[in-house]
Amino acid sequence: MECMEGTHVRVLRSARTPRQVPGVAGAQANRVVIGALNADCWRLVLGYLSVRELMRTEAACRDWQRLVLDDISRRPIMIMDMFNEIDENTIVVRKKSKIWPSFKRWLKKCGRAVQSLSLDCQNFSGVVELLRDACPNLEILRLWNLKSALPPTDTLHFQRLELLTLETCLEITDACVSQFLTSGLQELTLVDNKRVTGRFLRRLRTPQLERLVLTSCRAFKFSFLLESADRLTNLTSLVLRKRNHNKIEIRDKLHLLVDKMPNLESLIVSVEDVCARADAARLRAESDELMAALCRRQRLYHLDANFDAWDQHLQALATSCEMLGVLRLRRSYITRAGLDALLRARGAHLLELTLAGARLGDRDVAACVHACPKLVWLDIADCEVSAGVVALVARARRDMRANLRASTFAADADNNLRARLRLHTNWWLYDRDDDEFKDVLDLV
């Protein structure tokens, strides 16, 4: 290894200063130096350098450039607009317009090696058009703040694309999204858009889509999602956040969507029908239908829903969803009876629990903490608790830890002996002097 390192340093020095070779012209000297090692040796030598370091030397001469670009083309390159490199094959793009011309030139040279690109497009123009030509092998594409819509075309781009995120790309339309719906697409995320209606789902032909995120898409119509559900049977994760101003309600139809997704493992839904009248009976019916559909999803692990929940819902979920580990119910009428049913069935496996507004007292919350050794998040905002609940929860947490250390569970790498519980509660329940419980709790 020491000899190889020495060789690599000497060769690079020679490549940078070809005219120092006595009696040989510069171009010929380069060929002599580069020809001194075969392709396998050069691959080992250049392997000591990161992509960023290689790019600093690629313009030394044409022969060296061919060697460097060939080596870079064999590496899976990741491009991000972060502050630091993740690994040696990560290129960091600063969010400054003045770097865009040089970045485009670089991308035209090395784009075929780029497999992952995450970019804030606020200061850049013609991003997608450039990527189409320069980066045909993209597998992951995340774009923020794309300025304008893409020209319409029936051509599918980036045939290897597996993950697509378009966030705050306000002018992107259904036709634009359709250009990325390749057969290998596994994850699609659309956040903060004002033109996408969901019509693009009609052109979805991939059986591999596993995760779909639709958040703050103002023109989105739930009917397109529902009629396309037969194409989403392999979906394991659905995130739907929608403030619906249409007179056609969404909440009472969500159970129809869930019934068509047999492999669903994670559901995050925050839907508000703005034009719907406040009706307790209607809200109860919506919850009954959705919870019944969810109980038929035996793989369900993560549930986060802004639906009302009662004890019988909690009992049904606890007994039917044997994989349940994250449960966030933001509007609940849960009492101790429902909580006990959950703790008996899933307490040992729960990681996150939100029971905001539940009819639970201090001792009910403490019992919950004591029964959930893996719990890292607990939300009891607006529950019927007193100012002493924080101290009581901290005591329960310490007791639970003491019991775990004395049991065989302590050897389990997935336990919660080291992590502190993040407790979310009303701010007036504590004075923010957390020295008494900072060893076991983080107050949120």
Side-chain angles (χ1 to χ4, degrees), residues 159-179:
Q159 295 293 330
R160 299 185 181 181
L161 197 64
E162 297 178 0
L163 185 152
L164 172 66
T165 296
L166 299 173
E167 185 169 341
T168 324
C169 301
L170 300 179
E171 300 299 325
I172 289 292
T173 64
D174 289 272
C176 299
V177 177
S178 297
Q179 300 176 25

Side-chain angles (χ1 to χ4, degrees), residues 21-291:
V21 179
V24 185
Q28 185 179 355
N30 291 332
R31 296 190 187 97
V32 170
V33 171
I34 293 172
L37 298 177
N38 60 31
D40 291 335
C41 289
W42 273 116
R43 195 170 296 119
L44 290 172
V45 170
L46 299 181
Y48 285 95
L49 300 177
S50 67
V51 170
R52 182 180 294 274
E53 290 171 326
L54 287 175
M55 290 310 302
R56 292 195 186 106
T57 69
E58 62 93 13
C61 69
R62 290 181 180 179
D63 295 307
W64 180 254
Q65 185 181 62
R66 281 195 292 268
L67 184 67
V68 167
L69 294 183
D70 178 69
D71 183 79
I72 291 176
S73 69
R74 302 173 189 274
R75 304 191 187 192
I77 298 177
M78 177 186 300
I79 299 176
M80 308 187 77
D81 53 0
M82 300 176 64
F83 292 103
N84 300 304
E85 297 182 33
I86 293 179
D87 58 34
E88 62 179 11
N89 293 325
T90 301
I91 300 295
V92 179
V93 180
R94 305 303 179 192
K95 300 177 183 179
K96 297 180 180 179
S97 56
K98 65 181 182 180
I99 64 98
W100 185 235
S102 61
F103 178 68
K104 287 197 293 185
R105 289 193 296 271
W106 180 88
L107 209 57
K108 290 176 181 178
K109 297 177 184 178
C110 306
R112 300 188 68 86
V114 177
Q115 294 183 7
S116 174
L117 187 143
S118 301
L119 190 64
D120 186 338
C121 309
Q122 187 169 3
N123 296 315
F124 310 137
S125 60
V127 174
V128 177
E129 290 80 1
L130 172 65
L131 297 179
R132 286 173 183 168
D133 298 330
C135 304
N137 299 317
L138 272 176
E139 296 177 2
I140 297 174
L141 177 61
R142 298 185 180 96
L143 299 178
W144 288 265
N145 299 312
L146 199 62
K147 292 181 179 180
S148 58
L150 306 178
T153 175
D154 291 330
T155 304
L156 287 178
H157 304 286
F158 314 116
Q159 295 293 330
R160 299 185 181 181
L161 197 64
E162 297 178 0
L163 185 152
L164 172 66
T165 296
L166 299 173
E167 185 169 341
T168 324
C169 301
L170 300 179
E171 300 299 325
I172 289 292
T173 64
D174 289 272
C176 299
V177 177
S178 297
Q179 300 176 25
F180 300 97
L181 299 181
T182 58
S183 59
L185 194 65
Q186 298 177 17
E187 182 173 331
L188 174 61
T189 299
L190 300 176
V191 177
D192 196 7
N193 178 278
K194 65 181 182 180
R195 297 192 181 277
V196 169
T197 65
R199 195 182 300 273
F200 71 88
L201 292 168
R202 291 177 171 176
R203 301 188 61 178
L204 190 65
R205 295 292 182 268
T206 172
Q208 300 188 42
L209 194 66
E210 298 178 356
R211 178 174 168 82
L212 177 62
V213 179
L214 299 167
T215 298
S216 301
C217 295
R218 280 159 269 182
F220 178 77
K221 296 181 180 179
F222 182 76
S223 58
F224 289 127
L225 179 59
L226 187 57
E227 72 179 46
S228 303
D230 293 335
R231 302 183 184 93
L232 300 171
T233 53
N234 287 327
L235 207 68
T236 60
S237 177
L238 174 63
V239 179
L240 179 61
R241 295 187 175 95
K242 172 69 176 173
R243 185 174 171 85
N244 178 34
H245 293 272
N246 198 304
K247 291 183 179 180
I248 300 175
E249 299 177 17
I250 295 178
R251 291 171 61 88
D252 62 346
K253 301 177 181 64
L254 274 171
H255 68 284
L256 302 175
L257 185 64
V258 171
D259 273 332
K260 293 187 177 183
M261 297 178 176
N263 297 310
L264 197 63
E265 298 175 4
S266 174
L267 177 65
I268 301 175
V269 56
S270 178
V271 174
E272 180 183 357
D273 289 322
V274 177
C275 298
R277 56 190 173 86
D279 186 332
R282 180 183 59 82
L283 294 175
R284 180 63 178 264
E286 291 172 354
S287 294
D288 289 344
E289 290 174 332
L290 179 62
M291 295 301 175

